[in-house]
Amino acid sequence: MARILVVDDERTSLILMKRLLQASGYSDIVLIQDSCEVMAAYQAAPTDLILLDIQMPHLTGFDVIEQLSALQDPLMPPILVLTARHGRGEMLRALESGAHDVIRKPFDQAEVAARVRNMLDVRLAHKMLYDQKDVLERIVQERTHQIRETRLQVVQRLGRAAEYRDNETGQHILRMSHSSALLARHLGWNNDQCEIMLHASPMHDVGKIGIPDRILLKPGKLTPEEWLIMQKHASIGGDILSGDDSELLQMAREIALTHHEKWDGSGYPLGLAENAIPISGRIVALADVFDALTSERPYKKAWEVDAALDLIREQSGKHFDPSIVAVFLQLVSEILNIRNRFSDAAHSRHAVIKLDSAGNQQASTN
């Protein structure tokens, strides 16, 4: 049932309009004689139509329209102005102010009933369109969330596949991804960007899927020819993750392709230098090397933390971006907390990256 506000400082006009509307089948009618009470009545319950006199004490009809417009209500009801003045100027002013129609007093009852009916039909159509838009927006949000979750699961499974083919552990993936996100945050990235880094950085070595086992799993030192093949994993990773326009997979591709580039241009596969290397690749390069140095592997002993930090300092401006090294050194205690949180000793070799309710990566064991 439509709710109609009738605003007029003359009591007789209010009573006449109420009878007219009741005769047309409307029952939810609010009569307002003091124009200062319009806003409170409007905000008390959803309103479908406002019949508004112009010439009133305290607040004129134009003042009321201005107050209502200031609310910026996307479902503002239509306003039908009632005026005793017959000048063209006032009618135009009312329409330009936001009124939808104007009726001059004394009015024809049949004309008023017809215009009220037409304006309520328009109001109903407006509400239906608005509701449909809201439903469509919710559907789009749900689908977007589903696509994002699907992409995230694909990325995580690719990372796990690469992990199974390498001598790295699931805990290394967790440590370097959390360390990368920590560095990004202290480099000024916002929360959304840091979350993307958290989920994209585990893809850094996905290209190792394309490296033969005889090279990838070789216990001894690689020959120059074998090392050239091993270096191709960066390009392979870039190819695997290419062709998607999502921020997650774009950053994952960027990291996979450039995390072996070096600040001085001596890295691979593109030989990029300094700021030509995407900052995501520069961040992951440092986090990955530090964790690899301080972790034990079948082919090497873990370095002492101080020795690894000395190397990081020595390679500042050579392998690593000096500005990222400076931030890293300020965060050493937090980096070590991440290492303890995801230590190899506390978890099984094949830890699976999952998300908790807060969207953070957690480890679960097989």
Side-chain angles (χ1 to χ4, degrees), residues 95-112:
L95 295 173
E96 290 172 352
S97 297
H100 293 74
D101 205 349
V102 178
I103 294 182
R104 293 186 176 92
K105 299 178 183 179
F107 44 75
D108 179 88
Q109 294 186 12
E111 179 185 0
V112 172

Side-chain angles (χ1 to χ4, degrees), residues 126-142:
H126 182 203
K127 288 174 67 177
M128 291 177 65
L129 286 173
Y130 185 86
D131 292 342
Q132 185 177 29
K133 177 185 175 184
D134 187 53
V135 170
L136 290 174
E137 286 178 349
R138 287 201 302 269
I139 291 173
V140 169
Q141 289 174 356
E142 290 173 1

Side-chain angles (χ1 to χ4, degrees), residues 88-335:
R88 183 170 178 270
E90 185 164 274
M91 181 186 70
L92 290 175
R93 183 183 174 189
L95 295 173
E96 290 172 352
S97 297
H100 293 74
D101 205 349
V102 178
I103 294 182
R104 293 186 176 92
K105 299 178 183 179
F107 44 75
D108 179 88
Q109 294 186 12
E111 179 185 0
V112 172
R115 295 202 184 189
V116 166
R117 182 178 63 251
N118 290 341
M119 295 185 82
L120 286 173
D121 286 344
V122 171
R123 167 67 171 174
L124 178 61
H126 182 203
K127 288 174 67 177
M128 291 177 65
L129 286 173
Y130 185 86
D131 292 342
Q132 185 177 29
K133 177 185 175 184
D134 187 53
V135 170
L136 290 174
E137 286 178 349
R138 287 201 302 269
I139 291 173
V140 169
Q141 289 174 356
E142 290 173 1
R143 296 287 172 82
T144 300
H145 177 73
Q146 291 173 358
I147 292 171
R148 179 183 177 281
E149 289 300 309
T150 299
R151 282 171 170 156
L152 183 55
Q153 290 179 22
V154 168
V155 165
Q156 291 175 346
R157 280 159 175 74
L158 280 171
R160 188 180 179 192
E163 171 200 331
Y164 270 112
R165 292 220 54 234
D166 201 357
N167 284 320
E168 305 290 4
T169 71
Q171 300 316 299
H172 166 72
I173 299 297
L174 286 166
R175 290 191 298 267
M176 62 78 55
S177 62
H178 278 270
S179 296
S180 296
L182 176 67
L183 284 169
R185 183 166 68 252
H186 285 269
L187 286 165
W189 291 27
N190 62 37
N191 289 337
D192 289 341
Q193 293 171 322
C194 291
E195 183 179 1
I196 293 172
M197 170 62 83
L198 183 69
H199 300 311
S201 53
M203 293 297 92
H204 65 296
D205 275 340
V206 69
K208 289 183 177 179
I209 293 173
I211 303 302
D213 286 350
R214 62 182 175 80
I215 295 174
L216 186 65
L217 304 179
K218 184 177 179 179
K221 184 177 180 180
L222 298 180
T223 66
E225 293 77 14
E226 291 171 335
W227 179 238
L228 288 176
I229 295 173
M230 175 65 84
Q231 288 181 336
K232 292 181 180 179
H233 81 273
S235 299
I236 294 171
D239 290 340
I240 289 173
L241 297 168
S242 65
D244 192 280
D245 60 359
S246 72
E247 291 182 272
L248 174 63
L249 286 174
Q250 284 183 346
M251 185 180 292
R253 177 186 181 276
E254 194 174 76
I255 290 169
L257 184 62
T258 66
H259 73 288
H260 283 296
E261 301 290 349
K262 295 183 179 181
W263 184 254
D264 63 5
S266 64
Y268 65 87
L270 303 175
L272 302 177
E274 300 188 359
N275 291 326
I277 307 168
I279 189 169
S280 60
R282 286 179 267 151
I283 291 172
V284 171
L286 181 50
D288 184 36
V289 168
F290 178 76
D291 191 75
L293 290 174
T294 55
S295 300
E296 184 174 352
R297 294 291 180 266
Y299 51 85
K300 78 172 189 68
K301 295 290 185 181
W303 285 35
E304 294 294 332
V305 170
D306 287 343
L309 291 176
D310 286 342
L311 179 70
I312 297 297
R313 293 187 186 95
E314 191 271 328
Q315 287 296 314
S316 178
K318 300 175 184 176
H319 189 157
F320 306 117
D321 179 342
S323 63
I324 298 178
V325 170
V327 173
F328 180 90
L329 294 175
Q330 293 173 358
L331 298 172
V332 169
S333 62
E334 294 182 59
I335 299 289

Side-chain angles (χ1 to χ4, degrees), residues 65-86:
I65 292 174
E66 184 176 351
Q67 286 186 342
L68 291 169
S69 299
L71 296 175
Q72 297 186 333
D73 184 353
L75 282 176
M76 178 69 70
I79 298 174
L80 176 58
V81 163
L82 310 172
T83 179
R85 295 192 176 185
H86 291 263

